[in-house]
Amino acid sequence: MKARVTVTLKNGVLDPQGKAIEGALKSLGIEGVDSVRQGKVFDIELSGTDKAAAEAALKAACDKLLANTVIENYRVEIGA
């Protein structure tokens, strides 16, 4: 089974890397970029077929390692 975990900064948390990317895009002549927020994506392959157990395990992984829950949100998506 495959899963994707997306980690993003919470609203209100400053994102200097996103600001740098925004500036770089504008300097490359890319028009219409109002703002950029950066994040992380983890593609994870899991053994087993129990989606509920997989989601619980991944949420625990996010709380303990993959995300800093003080300043970041995460979303877990379980595929087939």
Side-chain angles (χ1 to χ4, degrees):
M1 162 176 5
K2 293 185 179 185
R4 176 167 282 177
V5 175
T6 305
V7 179
T8 56
L9 289 169
K10 290 182 177 181
N11 289 335
V13 175
L14 296 177
D15 185 1
Q17 187 174 1
K19 278 289 186 199
I21 294 167
E22 177 186 334
L25 289 171
K26 289 178 180 178
S27 72
L28 291 172
I30 306 213
E31 309 256 340
V33 176
D34 290 332
S35 70
V36 175
R37 304 275 294 168
Q38 63 87 34
K40 302 177 273 192
V41 174
F42 301 92
D43 288 326
I44 301 172
E45 291 192 29
L46 304 157
S47 59
T49 58
D50 185 344
K51 287 187 177 184
E55 185 172 359
L58 289 171
K59 285 183 177 182
C62 288
D63 289 333
K64 294 176 184 177
L65 175 68
L66 300 179
N68 177 349
T69 57
V70 174
I71 62 169
E72 294 174 318
N73 293 316
Y74 62 84
R75 182 177 70 246
V76 175
E77 301 170 73
I78 306 288

